[in-house]
Amino acid sequence: MSDIRLTEFRGQPAVHLRAPDGAQATVLLHGGHLVSWVPAGGEEQLYLSPTARYGVGASVRGGVPVIFPQFNERGPLPRHGLVRTRSWTPVQSVVRGEHAIATLRFTDDMATRTHWPHGFTAELTVSVAGRDLDIELCITNTGETPFDFHAALHTYLRCQNVEKAQLEGLQGCHYEDALLGVEGDQWGDVTAVIGAIDRVYHQAPRQLILRELGRKLLISLSDFEDVVVWNPGPEGASKLTDLPAEDWRHMLCVEAACVREPITLVPGDEWAGRQSFTC
């Protein structure tokens, strides 16, 4: 049975999608934040902290936060931008063939213009079917002046044990290491997590694979030029009040991103980037 309906998740309004084959996803209106993806016949694929904070002004730890128009603290705006802590509006929900699809929209307002004086709309479209998840972020310049922005889908992937997981496909990529303050090139094809990692890989390949025992997750990118790989490690996790100390072992962020080079939109123009997963 398929349906798309407004519901609640941890006391927050949300959109729940269920495809004809049983694939499911849940998106909070708060932040346009995807908090759950369960493939047909499968298990939860996203990590969501059991101590995550919800509600006005909160940024939810886990799932897929939407980052726009600033990444992290690379600029004068609030960390990770303006849209992840504000309410979005559901504008479309449909079951089309095998897919359940929902679109949420955020439009600039007086609050965002106090930080960033530009007119824009952000739309997030989530589609589930079978073993697949597609997430598309679309930004439109609705103002009268050009603007530059950065964007990311800050995806927290669930892991049984991240120390035994392997991320494949980044061989040869140039990266910035925020922890060490250096740049380098990825020599091997396998990225392993043995502690904290915080890297931005530039001009990343269009497909990556996350492997662990009994699981293979194909990650595909479209029009996102960078990939961010992040895990706080044990020391970093101990400093995060909304993440249990040992849960760093159970997640890995593999984020579709545009970080190094900003995207420029003239009035009336739009940009769209997509991150897709096959389990």
Side-chain angles (χ1 to χ4, degrees):
M1 180 178 179
S2 61
D3 76 316
I4 301 176
R5 55 187 169 85
L6 287 174
T7 185
E8 283 194 355
F9 182 91
R10 309 284 172 88
Q12 300 297 310
V15 177
H16 181 76
L17 299 81
R18 183 182 178 91
D21 55 24
Q24 300 181 61
T26 302
V27 189
L28 298 180
L29 302 194
H30 180 80
H33 194 127
L34 180 66
V35 289
S36 176
W37 167 44
V38 180
E43 300 178 343
E44 179 63 62
Q45 300 297 307
L46 301 179
Y47 172 81
L48 184 65
S49 172
T51 56
R53 295 188 293 263
Y54 299 86
V56 177
S59 54
V60 178
R61 175 74 63 186
V64 187
V66 178
I67 309 305
F68 170 86
Q70 175 181 296
F71 182 80
N72 207 339
E73 297 177 344
R74 298 187 179 209
L77 302 181
R79 186 172 182 268
H80 281 327
L82 303 173
V83 299
R84 66 176 181 149
T85 60
R86 291 179 165 85
S87 181
W88 293 47
T89 302
V91 294
Q92 181 187 45
S93 58
V94 62
V95 176
R96 184 177 299 138
E98 299 177 350
H99 297 261
I101 306 167
T103 300
L104 284 72
R105 177 183 297 153
F106 180 86
T107 302
D108 72 281
D109 55 24
M110 291 297 293
T112 63
R113 283 181 177 244
T114 61
H115 295 285
W116 199 57
H118 297 289
F120 69 90
T121 60
E123 286 192 347
L124 186 80
T125 299
V126 175
S127 172
V128 290
R131 313 292 289 180
D132 299 331
L133 166 70
D134 290 311
I135 315 168
E136 182 180 79
L137 177 63
C138 180
I139 305 298
T140 303
N141 184 342
T142 61
E144 298 178 353
T145 57
F147 61 70
D148 295 339
F149 70 91
H150 299 89
L153 297 172
H154 194 328
T155 308
Y156 287 72
L157 298 173
R158 182 191 59 80
C159 295
Q160 298 172 32
N161 184 344
V162 72
E163 293 179 292
K164 297 181 179 180
Q166 296 182 337
L167 181 64
E168 301 175 1
L170 290 170
Q171 186 173 16
C173 289
H174 188 73
Y175 63 80
E176 299 176 32
D177 191 312
L179 296 178
L180 300 178
V182 300
E183 298 190 14
D185 296 306
Q186 177 83 16
W187 291 105
D189 187 49
V190 172
T191 302
V193 177
I194 55 175
I197 184 171
D198 189 354
R199 291 179 176 179
V200 179
Y201 289 88
H202 303 306
Q203 296 182 329
R206 299 301 87 191
Q207 288 193 336
L208 305 172
I209 297 174
L210 178 64
R211 294 184 190 269
E212 56 181 344
L213 184 64
R215 180 187 184 214
K216 174 183 174 182
L217 186 67
L218 178 65
I219 306 167
S220 302
L221 310 176
S222 177
D223 293 306
F224 283 105
E225 296 301 318
D226 305 318
V227 167
V228 180
V229 180
W230 179 77
N231 183 292
E235 289 189 17
S238 69
K239 299 175 184 177
L240 299 173
T241 59
D242 57 353
L243 183 73
E246 291 300 314
D247 271 24
W248 68 273
R249 299 180 186 275
H250 303 305
M251 49 78 63
L252 180 64
C253 285
V254 182
E255 311 168 32
C258 290
V259 174
R260 185 165 190 173
E261 296 294 336
I263 300 161
T264 300
L265 286 183
V266 298
D269 203 1
E270 70 175 27
W271 167 90
R274 176 178 294 189
Q275 187 173 29
S276 302
F277 303 89
T278 300
C279 179

Tab-separated table of all heavy atoms in Angstrom, residues 157-186:
chain	number	residue	atom	x	y	z
A	157	LEU	N	25.051	8.658	7.333
A	157	LEU	CA	24.752	7.271	6.996
A	157	LEU	C	24.972	6.378	8.208
A	157	LEU	O	25.965	6.507	8.925
A	157	LEU	CB	25.631	6.806	5.835
A	157	LEU	CG	25.426	7.577	4.523
A	157	LEU	CD1	26.462	7.151	3.493
A	157	LEU	CD2	24.015	7.370	3.978
A	158	ARG	N	24.030	5.480	8.440
A	158	ARG	CA	24.137	4.553	9.567
A	158	ARG	C	25.208	3.512	9.271
A	158	ARG	O	25.311	3.003	8.159
A	158	ARG	CB	22.791	3.863	9.802
A	158	ARG	CG	22.777	2.902	10.986
A	158	ARG	CD	21.502	2.075	10.993
A	158	ARG	NE	21.359	1.298	9.760
A	158	ARG	CZ	21.979	0.156	9.517
A	158	ARG	NH1	22.817	-0.356	10.401
A	158	ARG	NH2	21.789	-0.472	8.370
A	159	CYS	N	26.000	3.185	10.286
A	159	CYS	CA	27.009	2.135	10.178
A	159	CYS	C	26.876	1.186	11.378
A	159	CYS	O	26.540	1.612	12.480
A	159	CYS	CB	28.426	2.714	10.190
A	159	CYS	SG	28.838	3.748	8.765
A	160	GLN	N	27.159	-0.094	11.133
A	160	GLN	CA	27.223	-1.024	12.253
A	160	GLN	C	28.443	-0.704	13.120
A	160	GLN	O	28.354	-0.630	14.336
A	160	GLN	CB	27.307	-2.454	11.731
A	160	GLN	CG	26.098	-2.880	10.912
A	160	GLN	CD	26.316	-4.231	10.261
A	160	GLN	OE1	27.003	-5.098	10.799
A	160	GLN	NE2	25.740	-4.427	9.086
A	161	ASN	N	29.577	-0.519	12.460
A	161	ASN	CA	30.808	-0.118	13.125
A	161	ASN	C	31.654	0.607	12.089
A	161	ASN	O	32.203	-0.017	11.177
A	161	ASN	CB	31.559	-1.316	13.692
A	161	ASN	CG	32.803	-0.907	14.477
A	161	ASN	OD1	33.274	0.228	14.373
A	161	ASN	ND2	33.339	-1.829	15.255
A	162	VAL	N	31.755	1.922	12.221
A	162	VAL	CA	32.426	2.713	11.194
A	162	VAL	C	33.897	2.328	11.047
A	162	VAL	O	34.492	2.488	9.971
A	162	VAL	CB	32.277	4.220	11.497
A	162	VAL	CG1	33.144	4.628	12.686
A	162	VAL	CG2	32.596	5.061	10.269
A	163	GLU	N	34.504	1.776	12.096
A	163	GLU	CA	35.902	1.371	12.013
A	163	GLU	C	36.106	0.163	11.110
A	163	GLU	O	37.223	-0.123	10.696
A	163	GLU	CB	36.436	1.077	13.408
A	163	GLU	CG	36.525	2.326	14.286
A	163	GLU	CD	37.021	2.011	15.667
A	163	GLU	OE1	36.286	1.339	16.416
A	163	GLU	OE2	38.141	2.430	16.002
A	164	LYS	N	35.027	-0.534	10.797
A	164	LYS	CA	35.105	-1.677	9.892
A	164	LYS	C	34.484	-1.369	8.534
A	164	LYS	O	34.424	-2.253	7.675
A	164	LYS	CB	34.412	-2.887	10.526
A	164	LYS	CG	35.078	-3.370	11.809
A	164	LYS	CD	34.373	-4.590	12.381
A	164	LYS	CE	35.058	-5.066	13.651
A	164	LYS	NZ	34.392	-6.263	14.237
A	165	ALA	N	34.037	-0.142	8.334
A	165	ALA	CA	33.442	0.261	7.057
A	165	ALA	C	34.521	0.800	6.118
A	165	ALA	O	35.594	1.232	6.560
A	165	ALA	CB	32.372	1.319	7.286
A	166	GLN	N	34.229	0.777	4.834
A	166	GLN	CA	35.140	1.293	3.824
A	166	GLN	C	34.369	2.136	2.819
A	166	GLN	O	33.328	1.715	2.312
A	166	GLN	CB	35.837	0.147	3.082
A	166	GLN	CG	36.739	-0.699	3.953
A	166	GLN	CD	37.440	-1.787	3.165
A	166	GLN	OE1	36.978	-2.190	2.100
A	166	GLN	NE2	38.569	-2.260	3.673
A	167	LEU	N	34.882	3.340	2.560
A	167	LEU	CA	34.317	4.208	1.533
A	167	LEU	C	35.240	4.160	0.327
A	167	LEU	O	36.417	4.512	0.425
A	167	LEU	CB	34.187	5.638	2.060
A	167	LEU	CG	33.576	6.659	1.097
A	167	LEU	CD1	32.132	6.307	0.762
A	167	LEU	CD2	33.664	8.063	1.688
A	168	GLU	N	34.711	3.723	-0.808
A	168	GLU	CA	35.515	3.526	-2.007
A	168	GLU	C	35.188	4.567	-3.075
A	168	GLU	O	34.049	5.001	-3.202
A	168	GLU	CB	35.264	2.127	-2.589
A	168	GLU	CG	35.594	0.993	-1.628
A	168	GLU	CD	35.218	-0.367	-2.201
A	168	GLU	OE1	34.721	-0.414	-3.338
A	168	GLU	OE2	35.409	-1.375	-1.499
A	169	GLY	N	36.218	4.956	-3.842
A	169	GLY	CA	35.988	5.783	-5.016
A	169	GLY	C	36.664	7.133	-5.013
A	169	GLY	O	36.572	7.868	-5.998
A	170	LEU	N	37.368	7.488	-3.956
A	170	LEU	CA	37.965	8.819	-3.861
A	170	LEU	C	39.439	8.860	-4.252
A	170	LEU	O	40.093	9.886	-4.085
A	170	LEU	CB	37.799	9.358	-2.439
A	170	LEU	CG	36.359	9.709	-2.053
A	170	LEU	CD1	36.267	9.994	-0.553
A	170	LEU	CD2	35.844	10.893	-2.857
A	171	GLN	N	39.951	7.758	-4.783
A	171	GLN	CA	41.362	7.713	-5.174
A	171	GLN	C	41.698	8.821	-6.166
A	171	GLN	O	40.987	9.039	-7.145
A	171	GLN	CB	41.694	6.357	-5.779
A	171	GLN	CG	43.175	6.175	-6.084
A	171	GLN	CD	43.496	4.759	-6.519
A	171	GLN	OE1	42.613	3.997	-6.867
A	171	GLN	NE2	44.768	4.398	-6.492
A	172	GLY	N	42.794	9.526	-5.892
A	172	GLY	CA	43.253	10.587	-6.786
A	172	GLY	C	42.647	11.943	-6.513
A	172	GLY	O	43.070	12.935	-7.107
A	173	CYS	N	41.668	12.023	-5.610
A	173	CYS	CA	41.016	13.296	-5.336
A	173	CYS	C	41.879	14.172	-4.420
A	173	CYS	O	42.500	13.685	-3.473
A	173	CYS	CB	39.657	13.083	-4.672
A	173	CYS	SG	38.398	12.410	-5.768
A	174	HIS	N	41.869	15.451	-4.709
A	174	HIS	CA	42.530	16.422	-3.844
A	174	HIS	C	41.570	16.781	-2.714
A	174	HIS	O	40.374	16.919	-2.924
A	174	HIS	CB	42.893	17.669	-4.635
A	174	HIS	CG	43.750	18.633	-3.876
A	174	HIS	ND1	45.080	18.419	-3.612
A	174	HIS	CD2	43.443	19.825	-3.290
A	174	HIS	CE1	45.573	19.433	-2.928
A	174	HIS	NE2	44.594	20.293	-2.711
A	175	TYR	N	42.109	16.931	-1.489
A	175	TYR	CA	41.231	17.224	-0.367
A	175	TYR	C	41.832	18.286	0.545
A	175	TYR	O	43.029	18.520	0.579
A	175	TYR	CB	40.940	15.959	0.452
A	175	TYR	CG	42.137	15.319	1.111
A	175	TYR	CD1	42.674	15.813	2.308
A	175	TYR	CD2	42.760	14.205	0.540
A	175	TYR	CE1	43.772	15.229	2.907
A	175	TYR	CE2	43.868	13.605	1.142
A	175	TYR	CZ	44.366	14.132	2.328
A	175	TYR	OH	45.464	13.551	2.923
A	176	GLU	N	40.955	18.950	1.285
A	176	GLU	CA	41.312	19.814	2.390
A	176	GLU	C	41.013	19.049	3.675
A	176	GLU	O	39.901	18.540	3.848
A	176	GLU	CB	40.495	21.103	2.383
A	176	GLU	CG	40.657	21.971	1.168
A	176	GLU	CD	39.736	23.181	1.228
A	176	GLU	OE1	39.458	23.671	2.344
A	176	GLU	OE2	39.263	23.608	0.166
A	177	ASP	N	41.968	18.977	4.567
A	177	ASP	CA	41.780	18.324	5.859
A	177	ASP	C	41.632	19.406	6.917
A	177	ASP	O	42.594	20.083	7.282
A	177	ASP	CB	42.972	17.418	6.174
A	177	ASP	CG	42.720	16.513	7.365
A	177	ASP	OD1	42.250	17.035	8.400
A	177	ASP	OD2	42.974	15.299	7.268
A	178	ALA	N	40.393	19.566	7.424
A	178	ALA	CA	40.125	20.637	8.381
A	178	ALA	C	40.736	20.358	9.745
A	178	ALA	O	41.025	21.292	10.499
A	178	ALA	CB	38.611	20.836	8.523
A	179	LEU	N	40.938	19.099	10.084
A	179	LEU	CA	41.506	18.760	11.385
A	179	LEU	C	42.992	19.054	11.437
A	179	LEU	O	43.509	19.557	12.440
A	179	LEU	CB	41.251	17.284	11.698
A	179	LEU	CG	39.790	16.873	11.864
A	179	LEU	CD1	39.701	15.377	12.126
A	179	LEU	CD2	39.120	17.647	12.993
A	180	LEU	N	43.694	18.736	10.351
A	180	LEU	CA	45.143	18.930	10.309
A	180	LEU	C	45.542	20.272	9.707
A	180	LEU	O	46.709	20.674	9.795
A	180	LEU	CB	45.802	17.797	9.524
A	180	LEU	CG	45.584	16.386	10.069
A	180	LEU	CD1	46.243	15.359	9.162
A	180	LEU	CD2	46.112	16.267	11.493
A	181	GLY	N	44.578	20.934	9.037
A	181	GLY	CA	44.883	22.208	8.407
A	181	GLY	C	45.807	22.078	7.215
A	181	GLY	O	46.609	22.975	6.950
A	182	VAL	N	45.708	20.960	6.500
A	182	VAL	CA	46.577	20.720	5.348
A	182	VAL	C	45.723	20.303	4.156
A	182	VAL	O	44.534	20.007	4.283
A	182	VAL	CB	47.613	19.609	5.643
A	182	VAL	CG1	48.493	20.021	6.816
A	182	VAL	CG2	46.924	18.282	5.928
A	183	GLU	N	46.364	20.284	2.983
A	183	GLU	CA	45.756	19.739	1.786
A	183	GLU	C	46.573	18.543	1.329
A	183	GLU	O	47.769	18.436	1.633
A	183	GLU	CB	45.664	20.788	0.676
A	183	GLU	CG	44.797	21.976	1.037
A	183	GLU	CD	44.526	22.886	-0.152
A	183	GLU	OE1	44.792	22.468	-1.306
A	183	GLU	OE2	44.051	24.014	0.073
A	184	GLY	N	45.924	17.639	0.603
A	184	GLY	CA	46.627	16.459	0.137
A	184	GLY	C	45.855	15.760	-0.953
A	184	GLY	O	44.814	16.249	-1.406
A	185	ASP	N	46.385	14.629	-1.391
A	185	ASP	CA	45.735	13.815	-2.403
A	185	ASP	C	45.468	12.424	-1.840
A	185	ASP	O	46.319	11.868	-1.123
A	185	ASP	CB	46.611	13.698	-3.661
A	185	ASP	CG	46.816	15.040	-4.337
A	185	ASP	OD1	45.803	15.700	-4.634
A	185	ASP	OD2	47.971	15.425	-4.560
A	186	GLN	N	44.296	11.905	-2.163
A	186	GLN	CA	43.934	10.567	-1.702
A	186	GLN	C	44.723	9.539	-2.518
A	186	GLN	O	44.560	9.439	-3.727
A	186	GLN	CB	42.427	10.339	-1.897
A	186	GLN	CG	41.939	8.973	-1.515
A	186	GLN	CD	41.661	8.837	-0.026
A	186	GLN	OE1	41.557	9.821	0.678
A	186	GLN	NE2	41.533	7.614	0.436
